[in-house]
């Protein structure tokens, strides 16, 4: 049995991990899906003071308060940033960090830094003077790659339940000391492993520090916990057993 902490990406809450949680628990694992401050059922706490550090503290405090050890800390998409920082703060409690459609960004890099300048400009125009990043339209015609595998009921669920993301979680840079590196794994869905391996060999900042021996491919869209929950649970189970 392994202990999992599941951290969702932008706009989502613990609800997005529901089917993965059920599958992992049926395989005998202890599972803690998280909702970060300011999102989903905690969206009433959203405000300009919610930062990347806030979300990192959410994760660290769950691990400490529940006295979790040998944790497989799973971060999906934008959840990879607070997960990386949390592992840096409590490395003695984390057995492995698993990046799902994400990667360990290097120290000093923000999520916004990974977005092309034109997209950054569009997003900032949509935000205006606010402090929240609105969710996408969840339109498969406009974003077929990322939304691959999601049927209409799931898309409708995303449209109904996704909440705006506190902006500073995207614009604050990741801060990692690297003093106590934790083993990693990657689950790639929209990037073929051959591309990931090439990017690792070229020292691309998206995948800084990933272990080449723990790369897993799950071909689907950017939200595999919703498009392929059982398959994702099986990959996480495999990582736990390895």
């Amino acid at each position: 049995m392994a202990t999992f902490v599941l951290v969702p990406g932008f706009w989502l809450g613990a609800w997005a991990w529901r089917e993965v949680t059920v599958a992992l628990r049926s395989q005998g694992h202890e599972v803690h899906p998280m909702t970060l401050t300011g999102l989903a059922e905690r969206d009433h706490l959203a405000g300009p003071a919610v930062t990347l550090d806030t979300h990192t503290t959410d994760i660290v405090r769950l691990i400490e308060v529940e006295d979790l050890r040998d944790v497989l800390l799973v971060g999906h998409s934008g959840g990879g940033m607070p997960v990386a920082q949390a592992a840096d703060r409590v490395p003695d409690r984390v057995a492995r960090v698993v990046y799902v459609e994400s990667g360990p960004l290097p120290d000093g890099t923000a999520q916004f830094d990974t977005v092309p300048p034109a997209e950054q400009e569009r997003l900032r125009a949509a935000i205006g003077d606010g402090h929240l990043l609105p969710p996408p339209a969840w339109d498969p015609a406009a974003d077929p790659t990322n939304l691959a595998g999601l049927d209409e009921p799931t898309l409708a669920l995303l449209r109904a339940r996704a909440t705006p993301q506190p902006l500073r979680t995207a614009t604050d840079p990741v801060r990692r000391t690297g003093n106590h590196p934790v083993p990693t794994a990657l689950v790639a869905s929209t990037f073929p492993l051959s591309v990931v391996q090439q990017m690792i060999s070229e020292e691309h900042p998206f995948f800084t520090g990933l272990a080449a021996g723990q790369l897993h491919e799950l071909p689907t869209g950017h939200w595999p916990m919703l498009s392929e929950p059982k398959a994702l649970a099986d990959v996480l189970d495999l990582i736990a057993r390895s």
Side-chain angles (χ1 to χ4, degrees):
M1 183 185 76
T3 299
F4 285 92
V5 172
L6 306 179
V7 180
F10 284 5
W11 309 297
L12 307 181
W15 63 267
W17 292 106
R18 187 166 297 152
E19 292 188 50
V20 173
T21 297
V22 170
L24 286 173
R25 286 175 178 165
S26 73
Q27 292 165 334
H29 302 298
E30 179 181 350
V31 189
H32 299 264
M34 289 196 68
T35 292
L36 301 172
T37 300
L39 292 149
E41 74 275 13
R42 304 182 69 200
D43 66 347
H44 60 291
L45 301 175
V50 177
T51 67
L52 179 57
D53 188 66
T54 306
H55 284 182
T56 302
T57 301
D58 287 340
I59 299 166
V60 170
R61 292 301 294 144
L62 172 71
I63 292 172
E64 291 178 337
V65 170
E66 295 289 341
D67 194 24
L68 305 181
R69 299 183 183 275
D70 296 322
V71 172
L72 274 77
L73 185 52
V74 181
H76 167 252
S77 190
M81 294 178 295
V83 155
Q85 290 193 154
D88 196 58
R89 294 186 189 180
V90 287
D92 57 317
R93 290 176 177 266
V94 179
R96 187 177 299 276
V97 177
V98 183
Y99 295 98
V100 178
E101 280 288 283
S102 184
L105 293 178
D107 182 71
T109 303
Q111 189 274 339
F112 250 44
D113 297 333
T114 70
V115 177
E119 179 64 7
Q120 288 189 35
E121 188 174 332
R122 185 193 70 79
L123 290 171
R124 290 194 182 278
I127 296 162
D129 296 329
H131 56 82
L132 295 172
L133 183 65
W138 311 108
D139 179 4
D143 194 6
T145 299
N146 285 325
L147 298 177
L150 299 177
D151 58 20
E152 188 51 43
T154 305
L155 291 167
L157 181 68
L158 282 163
R159 295 181 192 116
R161 301 202 65 174
T163 47
Q165 180 79 19
L167 180 60
R168 287 190 58 187
T169 64
T171 58
D172 285 358
V174 173
R175 295 301 181 191
R176 301 164 63 201
T177 67
N179 292 336
H180 303 283
V182 172
T184 62
L186 171 72
V187 181
S189 293
T190 56
F191 278 80
L193 279 192
S194 59
V195 173
V196 173
Q197 289 163 339
Q198 180 179 347
M199 293 172 77
I200 291 173
S201 68
E202 294 172 352
E203 299 183 348
H204 194 288
F206 283 12
F207 300 120
T208 301
L210 271 180
Q214 275 286 3
L215 305 178
H216 302 266
E217 192 170 33
L218 175 56
T220 184
H222 185 62
W223 286 273
M225 72 282 291
L226 296 171
S227 59
E228 292 287 351
K230 179 60 168 63
L232 178 56
D234 286 345
V235 172
L236 295 176
D237 176 66
L238 176 64
I239 292 170
R241 296 177 188 280
S242 65

